[in-house]
Amino acid sequence: MTIQIPRGTQDILPGEVEKWQWIEETAKKICQLYQYQEIRTPIFEQTELFQRGVGDTTDIVQKEMYSFQDRGGRDLTLRPEGTAAIVRSFTENKMFGLPNQPVKLYYLGPMFRYERPQSGRYRQFVQFGVEALGSMDPAIDAEVIALAMEFYRSLGLKRLKLVINSLGDRESRKAHRNALIQHFQPRINEFCSDCQERLEKNPLRILDCKKDRKHELMASAPSILDFLNDDSSTYFKQVQHYLNAMNIEFVVDPTLVRGLDYYNHTAFEIMSEAEGFGAITTLCGGGRYNGLVKEMGGPDTPGIGFALSIERLIQALEAEDVPMENNKQMNAYIIALGEKAKDYSVALLQNLRRDGLSVERDYMDRKLKAQFKAAERLGAQYAVIIGDDELSSGVATVKNLVTGEQKEMALENLKEGLLD
Ligand code: ATP
Ligand code: MG
């Protein structure tokens, strides 16, 4: 048996990888505009980080982690998400003491979850996410949401739907929690075993259950919005006010809860409404997590962020038929005929490349005609023909492959000529 790629992973081959590069460059550009700085944390962390940071009752921790022991007996896990590690790093590097507050960070890299692979769901996937730590200004919530929307918009997505909700502060959540328990308890035996466990541990997450989403008690469940105290309610109104000020459309959905335990106040999701997108429509999820930094042993610091995957973004781009840019230019293909010309071309290519030109030559001993074909296939702007005659006269024949026009060019001035 030949060895195959692990289940739930994918190779991103040339031809496809340009899309990724374009998306990644766009993400970096957007973060520069919004003044978020990149942070890179390890691909693996202590397992306990995620148990505490993501939460014991979440699907991620209970079912989806790639955990292992290293040769030194340490319990480690391939990171399933970005926030916990950023909070660790924020605390460990005392970023709360930096003069610039809030601390605005972004990350872009692979995450690992042991899930059932399907369209839009992989075991290794790439997340782009941002975190703003240290501010409790509702305008930063709106900014984080705006950044995600602007990222998608600038890539060409149009059929987006932004859904927001508030999970309130601790007091509001407590009141809501009690109401949820009362609501579900009498008929909890009609729910899946996960939900039965959630009832006492974290009843909010019952609303997030994928198996029982159609149960009649779901639609009639008490709404968090009816339990927001004055502070929480004012905060939520402010966030909406700022979104309106930026002309960002949204709908409020009181059933939106995030799967992670540490969220409070603002929660949001961005979905694709493109036809043919498939069953899983969520492109991006985020929210506020004021308790997390303290929970992880740092000083009490509020935070808000989002995460989105590039895989689902590409799916949405394809569903909307957005043309993906690929303007990687190749300047010239050098066709050398004869041994001397070949020798000369080796050095010529090196020099042109050092001068910043993208150039290629033949390594397959192809005939002239086949070399022209190769040049066209590669999208070269020019073909440069150098034979023994051209070498002795110091003048090459240069064909513009776009216009078909052919002219002579002094070898000395090749660089300038090709950049024309
Ligand atoms: P879902 O409900 O789809 O499982 P989630 O709540 O697990 O999502 P988050 O942990 O909030 O998702 O991750 C943020 C985003 O990352 C999701 O909105 C989605 O775009 C993407 N994502 C999550 N899991 C995967 C995966 N296995 N493969 C590809 N993208 C993913
Ligand atoms: Mg998930």
Side-chain angles (χ1 to χ4, degrees), residues 113 115 120-122 125 127 210 258 282-283 307 309 312:
R113 295 185 194 176
E115 309 214 55
R121 211 182 273 294
Y122 297 88
F125 56 100
Q127 274 189 343
K210 300 206 169 71
R258 303 289 307 146
T282 304
L283 298 177
S309 78
R312 280 197 207 166

Side-chain angles (χ1 to χ4, degrees), residues 261-305:
D261 283 353
Y262 49 63
Y263 284 100
N264 52 14
H265 289 287
T266 312
F268 68 97
E269 279 189 5
I270 301 168
M271 340 254 209
S272 169
E273 292 195 303
E275 282 139 43
F277 182 72
I280 313 167
T281 56
T282 304
L283 298 177
C284 170
R288 185 164 270 289
Y289 48 84
N290 289 350
L292 184 63
V293 182
K294 187 151 183 247
E295 168 71 30
M296 303 291 286
D300 204 353
T301 310
I304 175 152

